[in-house]
Structure formats: structure tokens, C-alpha cells
């Protein structure tokens, strides 16, 4: 019988297929009860840049892919503006893989139950840069006290990986006045890609 627990995943060799199977059958927290689909991640498994959101919303839950609703469309536009795309040269995932009801923030215990999957994805991908989309991802991955309005666009380093955070695209839809700051963050990210990424080719369509 297949054992899909994270413990089993850690003793067997880590592969994308093993993590993906473990996620799709996961019952580690109550979010599994309300999901239509798990939302594993999307993008190139060769990417040197990893974007991390907080968790799936309604459209993502329906389609099983991160950032496919209105916020996702804005994210795709901002990526395209700096030569990036989910089809080609970035990977996109979330802190939690199942939709929190009513789009509330994922609870600390839900994040804790799920974070091992993102860790597995990160160790397979070995990104040069991780970009947190919004406060929840930044607090989880960079600093529990992270203040997005004050610290967005700053660069941190954790275990040899550059880390930064910018505004969540859903927040930008609510507060369009922050789009200029977010765009400046994306330009800074593009410059850093030029400095630290070896394989990433920026493509402007
Ligand atoms: N918001 C997120 O944080 N992640 C998604 O996948 C969609 C919306």
C-alpha cells in the first residue's frame, strides 16, 4: 500500500511525484474536508525563481492551479512586464495547498501541517530567489514579525537563497495605490535575477 505521509516521503528519495501524490491525498489538517482540489504548484521545475502565496482561493480550488483568479491575472501581467511567466521560467506555489473557507488567512496550525510540502518543493527546485506574495508568506518564510508595507522589496538571505516579499496581488486589487511600489519590487527582482540566476532567460512578448 502507498504511504503518503510526509514522514514516509522523508525516508524515501524526494521526488516531485512523491510530494505531489502526498499532497493530493493529504488529510493532515481540516482544510482537506472542504476542498474540491488540492493546489500543488505550477511552473517550470527548472525555475530559479519561486513565488509563494498564502493559499488557494475559490478559482484555484476549482481548477487545482495557483493564482488563476483575478489576483492571478494581475500577477501574470506583472510577471510578463519583467520577462517572467509561469509557463517558462518561474515556479508558483502556496504555503497551504487547500483552500481556507471563505478565503480567510490560513491558521498557524494549518500552515504548520502543510509547510513540509513547500519545503520539499523548495529542496527539489533549489531556487536562487524566493518571492513571498503578501504578509502571510513573508511572515512564514522570512520573519514572523515581517511588515509588508515597511519591508517589501528588501532582500534577505536564508541558507544561501535570496528572499524578498512584495504586496499580494489581491491586496493590489483592493489598494491600487500600492501598484507602483509593487512594480518597483518586480523591477528590483528582475535586476537581482540578472545578478544571481544562471539559466533564466527573460522573455518579453
Ligand atoms: N491567493 C494566494 O495566495 N494563492 C493563490 O493561489 C491564489 C490567491
Amino acid at each position: 500500500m502507498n504511504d503518503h505521509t510526509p514522514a514516509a516521503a522523508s525516508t524515501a528519495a524526494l521526488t516531485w511525484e512523491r510530494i505531489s501524490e502526498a499532497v493530493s491525498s493529504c488529510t493532515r489538517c481540516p482544510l482537506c474536508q472542504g476542498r474540491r482540489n488540492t493546489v500543488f504548484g505550477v511552473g517550470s521545475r527548472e525555475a530559479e525563481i519561486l513565488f509563494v502565496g498564502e493559499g488557494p482561493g475559490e478559482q484555484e480550488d476549482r481548477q487545482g492551479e495557483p493564482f488563476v483568479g483575478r489576483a492571478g491575472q494581475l500577477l501574470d501581467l506583472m510577471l510578463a512586464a519583467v520577462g517572467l511567466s509561469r509557463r517558462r521560467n518561474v515556479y508558483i506555489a502556496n504555503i497551504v495547498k487547500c483552500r481556507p473557507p471563505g478565503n480567510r488567512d490560513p491558521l498557524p496550525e494549518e500552515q504548520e501541517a502543510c509547510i513540509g510540502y513547500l519545503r520539499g518543493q523548495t529542496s527539489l527546485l533549489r531556487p536562487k530567489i524566493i518571492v513571498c506574495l503578501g504578509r502571510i508568506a513573508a511572515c512564514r518564510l522570512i520573519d514572523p514579525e515581517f511588515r509588508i508595507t515597511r519591508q517589501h522589496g528588501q532582500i534577505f538571505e536564508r541558507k544561501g537563497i535570496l528572499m524578498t516579499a512584495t504586496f499580494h496581488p489581491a491586496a493590489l486589487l483592493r489598494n491600487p495605490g500600492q501598484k507602483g511600489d509593487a512594480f518597483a519590487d518586480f523591477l528590483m527582482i528582475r535586476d537581482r535575477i540578472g545578478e544571481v540566476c544562471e539559466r533564466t532567460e527573460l522573455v518579453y512578448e
Side-chain angles (χ1 to χ4, degrees):
M1 213 176 65
N2 288 335
D3 184 347
H4 295 301
T5 63
S10 68
T11 50
L14 194 62
T15 64
W16 286 103
E17 288 64 37
R18 283 209 176 93
I19 310 176
S20 161
E21 277 172 24
V23 166
S24 58
S25 58
C26 183
T27 55
R28 286 174 59 82
C29 85
L31 292 183
C32 66
Q33 292 160 16
R35 74 180 175 221
R36 287 192 175 87
N37 287 293
T38 55
V39 179
F40 181 68
V42 70
S44 166
R45 291 177 179 180
E46 305 293 315
E48 296 176 287
I49 307 124
L50 169 63
F51 283 80
V52 182
E54 56 194 64
E58 187 189 359
Q59 288 307 316
E60 292 75 22
D61 176 59
R62 283 182 189 277
Q63 299 181 43
E65 180 170 329
F67 287 100
V68 289
R70 281 184 65 224
Q73 288 165 17
L74 177 57
L75 175 62
D76 283 340
L77 283 176
M78 298 186 78
L79 290 173
V82 294
L84 298 172
S85 100
R86 70 174 72 203
R87 280 179 292 106
R88 192 181 291 117
N89 50 16
V90 303
Y91 194 83
I92 305 174
N94 281 308
I95 300 286
V96 299
K97 312 302 193 203
C98 297
R99 182 191 182 198
N103 295 348
R104 65 159 168 73
D105 294 346
L107 302 173
E109 55 270 31
E110 294 161 351
Q111 296 181 35
E112 194 56 38
C114 213
I115 196 71
Y117 300 129
L118 182 65
R119 286 206 188 102
Q121 291 172 301
T122 307
S123 41
L124 287 172
L125 198 63
R126 304 211 288 125
K128 295 280 185 352
I129 304 177
I130 297 178
V131 182
C132 300
L133 296 167
R135 178 183 61 87
I136 298 284
C139 286
R140 182 73 219 193
L141 300 184
I142 300 177
D143 176 352
E145 302 297 320
F146 198 91
R147 303 290 300 271
I148 199 85
T149 43
R150 264 197 242 145
Q151 293 176 286
H152 71 91
Q154 292 181 17
I155 289 277
F156 302 82
E157 195 180 327
R158 301 276 184 277
K159 299 181 189 164
I161 303 177
L162 299 187
M163 308 206 48
T164 190
T166 189
F167 297 95
H168 193 287
L172 296 177
L173 292 173
R174 287 193 301 271
N175 306 305
Q178 290 173 325
K179 281 185 185 172
D181 283 347
F183 191 58
D185 294 341
F186 273 71
L187 292 175
M188 177 281 294
I189 291 161
R190 182 187 63 180
D191 292 345
R192 286 305 182 115
I193 290 169
E195 289 164 19
V196 301
C197 294
E198 288 144 18
R199 301 186 303 267
T200 304
E201 195 192 333
L202 303 180
V203 177
Y204 299 91
E205 284 174 337

